[in-house]
Amino acid sequence: MDLDYRLPGTDEPAITIRRTTLGGIHVLVDGVRAAGRAGLYEIPGADGEVHLLKVQGAWRGLHAIADGWDTPLEPDVPTWALALMALPLVLLPVGGLVGGLFGGIGVAANGVVGRSPLQAPARVVVMMGVLALALEAWLGVAMALTTVGSAGVSYATGTCLDGIAPGTDLVSQAPRAADCGTAHDGEVIGTFDAASAAAYPGETGLT
């Protein structure tokens, strides 16, 4: 989102304050990105002087402060909207790295909605919808990863294997096929189907 700004009492230079999708702030002077630190930017004026421009309120609504003038660039964001913006971050402790990724996307999306001109009830509905979508996306990916991780590997009868040792997790540390003509850890000598059992019979029952 680009916001036009002028130094108080001037028409030059053309200043654009740009908010990125993820909430970052950039200041462009006549189309060239200005160097800044901690929200402070040096703006060369048409009068030859350098003016200090401070941009603040990345979450609560942007304000530009220069030469003693505080110019609102966006409407102020109420506290309830800030709370809803941050709500998708609950996926970080619940869903780990994947949850944090979708939570971050949700926060960025809710940031756009929270600063939009929509009426308060509409903003609440949309931001809760963003939270629901982030949660649904995380659950979908988590279930897909669980399915892939628990699928294991099937080996045909007669396959020789290496990588089998006491305590080996045959799902996450699948043994690898080996040349039966050389020394190897084991061999598949047969298969059977335990799917018809009412419950997992345990190691003794399988043995």
Side-chain angles (χ1 to χ4, degrees):
M1 176 188 298
D2 287 352
L3 302 165
D4 293 330
Y5 174 73
R6 295 289 186 273
L7 292 170
T10 69
D11 292 327
E12 297 292 339
I15 300 172
T16 301
I17 298 174
R18 175 171 296 167
R19 181 194 288 279
T20 67
T21 303
L22 296 179
I25 304 298
H26 301 310
V27 173
L28 290 82
V29 180
D30 291 331
V32 179
R33 185 170 167 180
R37 183 177 179 184
L40 283 175
Y41 303 86
E42 293 185 352
I43 308 297
D47 53 8
E49 294 185 11
V50 174
H51 301 258
L52 277 180
L53 169 64
K54 183 175 183 179
V55 180
Q56 64 182 23
W59 289 101
R60 301 224 57 145
L62 286 178
H63 284 240
I65 303 172
D67 300 335
W69 290 81
D70 185 341
T71 305
L73 301 174
E74 297 176 325
D76 287 340
V77 178
T79 302
W80 63 263
L82 284 175
L84 288 178
M85 284 183 195
L87 200 55
L89 287 179
V90 299
L91 289 176
L92 181 57
V94 173
L97 184 61
V98 175
L101 173 63
F102 285 109
I105 294 172
V107 168
N110 272 351
V112 174
V113 176
R115 291 185 293 269
S116 73
L118 289 173
Q119 295 295 320
R123 276 189 282 173
V124 170
V125 170
V126 174
M127 285 194 278
M128 293 303 293
V130 168
L131 173 63
L133 286 174
L135 180 61
E136 185 176 348
W138 166 66
L139 286 173
V141 171
M143 290 179 64
L145 292 175
T146 301
T147 302
V148 170
S150 62
V153 180
S154 297
Y155 300 98
T157 300
T159 302
C160 298
L161 303 171
D162 273 336
I164 300 175
T168 299
D169 182 340
L170 298 182
V171 173
S172 62
Q173 300 169 296
R176 57 191 179 278
D179 182 357
C180 291
T182 61
H184 49 273
D185 295 339
E187 180 178 344
V188 180
I189 61 170
T191 61
F192 66 97
D193 185 4
S196 59
Y200 177 63
E203 185 175 354
T204 301
L206 285 177
T207 300

